[in-house]
Amino acid sequence: MEERWSTEHVLSLAPDAASQKAAGKLSAPAPWSGTGTDGTALWGECKGSGRTPYRTAIELATPAYQCTCPSRKFPCKHALGLLLLWSGTPAAVPAGEPADWVSEWLASRQERAEKRAEKKEEDPEATRRRLEKRGAKVAVGAAELRLRLADRVRHGLADQSTAGPWEEVAARMVDAQAPGLAARVRELDALPQERLLEEYAMLHLLATAATRMDELPAELAATVRTRVGFPADPGTAGPTVRDRWLVLGTRDTADERLTTRRVWLRGAKTGRPALLLSFGHQGQAPALALPTGRLVEADLAYFPAAHPLRADLRERYGAPEPGPAGPPAGLTVAEAVAGYGTAVADDPWLESRPTVLGDVVPVRTPDGWFLTDGHHTVPVRASAVPEAALWRLAAVSTGRPLTVFGEYGHQGFAPVTAWAADQRPVGLTNV
């Protein structure tokens, strides 16, 4: 029997709440005709306001979408509606052979993918010169930042007579092509007084490392480049690791320009964690969508780092498969704290790391939410999780221990996925 995506997963693909609502009206069989699936793609024609129905096709592995409607949202309401129909009413999307227009679209996608693979990579010498030029600009900006930080400390943190907003310094970091430094500098104005010295020290350490990257070990230098804001180059990732990767969870964050999707995986054989990033411009959902709790057999190439985590998704071997019957193996709170400490030794600027906690109970107190395993307790990082998500976590738990996946760091634990009593994963981020 073919495994269908959950309604929750389909709705997570929507670019906005309006698209979710509109798709719900198209999730019944009435407006659809000519629907079908061959296990790798869906297709159908949806009756609209015009005489000609909209032709909609979806390639499930990526996923990718094609629709003849004029919508600029991606995926459009018709693609989402077809996915909801396939998910909730399997009989309405029977197995069959793709129509000609579907086959043509799938063939054109395959052809474009092959052409991209054939494109020559940038000349290594040109890449080296480009990175050297940018590295020199970053070093100049980082040296200026060190002076600014030292000046603030020299005058004393309580002396506000010379302390102006950090926006001017952040703008200088942008000019120096160091957006990572700029982002951390902007955060200084919002920090409470008691945390300033700590952040000054970490920022000074990062700026110092940015001026001496040629002297650092290769893995640590790669970490510093990432923290400073150098873009990840897929050409530097590798070698590939093939495994059956369990999708632990997904979280979307958005600003006025971009939606960033984080997808966390764990290798079934290697046990290695991995983080995939995908981006979508305004009005578009990020292209990468993997159902939580499923297994994806694929090659991943890790980007170099002192504590490798982010990876590039390479070749996939088939569609996502059903995952294990139970939740993934989890750590105790004490083991999670120790693991984070080890990771920080490799990457001093690491804010958090993916962690599965086993047999923990969510507890709400006057001081906030906590997770406890009966021996140790960890605070929940409420700033990273909507209040509704925490109440949902409590409802899933019903006061009993459960397995929770999320990010653990020095500011606490940010839950992403919980496994209910029936062992099904429940997403906590899109509520």
Side-chain angles (χ1 to χ4, degrees):
M1 181 179 176
E2 182 185 20
E3 286 284 333
R4 310 272 168 137
W5 295 354
S6 67
T7 299
E8 179 184 68
H9 176 63
V10 173
L11 293 178
S12 74
L13 306 177
D16 52 38
S19 297
Q20 291 180 339
K21 185 176 180 180
K25 298 177 181 178
L26 299 175
S27 61
W32 291 96
S33 62
T35 56
T37 177
D38 63 357
T40 62
L42 307 178
W43 57 87
E45 299 184 4
C46 186
K47 181 177 176 55
S49 56
R51 295 178 56 187
T52 305
Y54 298 122
R55 288 180 168 181
T56 305
I58 301 163
E59 188 261 300
L60 293 170
T62 306
Y65 317 94
Q66 168 74 10
C67 188
T68 57
C69 76
S71 174
R72 293 186 178 182
K73 295 183 179 181
F74 187 81
C76 67
K77 64 182 181 181
H78 304 100
L80 292 167
L82 180 57
L83 282 167
L84 288 172
L85 179 66
W86 169 71
S87 170
T89 314
V93 187
E97 292 296 320
D100 290 344
W101 59 272
V102 179
S103 297
E104 290 173 4
W105 175 65
L106 293 173
S108 66
R109 278 186 49 78
Q110 180 64 27
E111 183 179 350
R112 288 195 300 271
E114 291 173 354
K115 287 182 178 179
R116 286 195 298 268
E118 292 172 359
K119 283 186 177 180
K120 293 183 179 180
E121 296 181 359
E122 182 180 6
D123 175 50
E125 182 61 24
T127 302
R128 185 187 64 79
R129 290 195 300 268
R130 175 172 54 80
L131 290 176
E132 281 186 355
K133 185 177 180 180
R134 180 170 184 174
K137 294 185 69 173
V138 168
V140 171
E144 179 181 340
L145 177 57
R146 292 175 63 198
L147 292 175
R148 298 285 190 120
L149 291 166
D151 188 56
R152 290 287 179 95
V153 173
R154 190 179 301 111
H155 282 85
L157 300 185
D159 182 3
Q160 298 297 309
S161 61
T162 60
W166 282 97
E167 183 56 41
E168 177 194 348
V169 181
R172 288 284 301 116
M173 297 304 104
V174 173
D175 292 340
Q177 294 186 284
L181 291 179
R184 294 187 73 128
V185 167
R186 287 193 182 96
E187 293 173 357
L188 294 176
D189 283 324
L191 283 181
Q193 192 77 7
E194 62 271 16
R195 285 197 54 205
L196 277 178
L197 187 59
E198 171 193 343
E199 187 58 27
Y200 279 16
M202 296 306 298
L203 195 48
H204 189 276
L205 178 64
L206 181 57
T208 301
T211 64
R212 302 174 59 184
M213 281 193 282
D214 291 343
E215 304 173 31
L216 301 176
E219 293 80 7
L220 183 57
T223 295
V224 172
R225 289 191 183 94
T226 299
R227 301 295 180 193
V228 166
F230 280 68
D233 180 3
T236 64
T240 58
V241 179
R242 181 170 177 174
D243 205 335
R244 299 176 74 231
W245 302 92
L246 174 64
V247 183
L248 292 172
T250 300
R251 169 178 283 142
D252 289 355
T253 55
D255 56 29
E256 64 276 5
R257 297 184 300 107
L258 204 66
T259 297
T260 302
R261 174 166 294 162
R262 292 170 171 82
V263 181
W264 290 274
L265 310 175
R266 177 194 279 182
K269 293 183 293 186
T270 62
R272 291 187 65 171
L275 171 63
L276 307 180
L277 295 183
S278 182
F279 305 93
H281 293 288
Q282 191 174 31
Q284 296 186 354
L288 181 64
L290 297 176
T292 298
R294 306 294 289 274
L295 285 167
V296 180
E297 185 168 359
D299 291 329
L300 297 188
Y302 284 85
F303 290 95
H307 185 68
L309 178 63
R310 185 180 173 187
D312 185 41
L313 179 61
R314 299 291 174 84
E315 184 174 358
R316 289 194 238 183
Y317 304 94
E321 305 171 4
L331 304 176
T332 65
V333 171
E335 290 169 338
V337 173
Y340 175 65
T342 301
V344 168
D346 296 328
D347 179 358
W349 307 279
L350 186 68
E351 296 288 338
S352 60
R353 68 190 295 262
T355 303
V356 178
L357 293 177
D359 294 327
V360 291
V361 179
V363 178
R364 189 172 187 267
T365 75
D367 296 322
W369 289 85
F370 294 83
L371 294 174
T372 178
D373 60 10
H375 300 284
H376 299 89
T377 301
V378 60
V380 171
R381 183 154 53 98
S383 61
V385 188
E387 180 75 9
L390 298 176
W391 284 110
R392 185 175 189 178
L393 175 61
V396 172
S397 167
T398 62
R400 297 182 177 88
L402 78 170
T403 299
V404 183
F405 165 74
E407 291 184 286
Y408 173 71
H410 62 91
Q411 295 184 39
F413 189 87
V416 175
T417 308
W419 278 260
D422 60 4
Q423 309 303 332
R424 289 186 306 108
V426 177
L428 303 171
T429 57
N430 296 310
V431 294

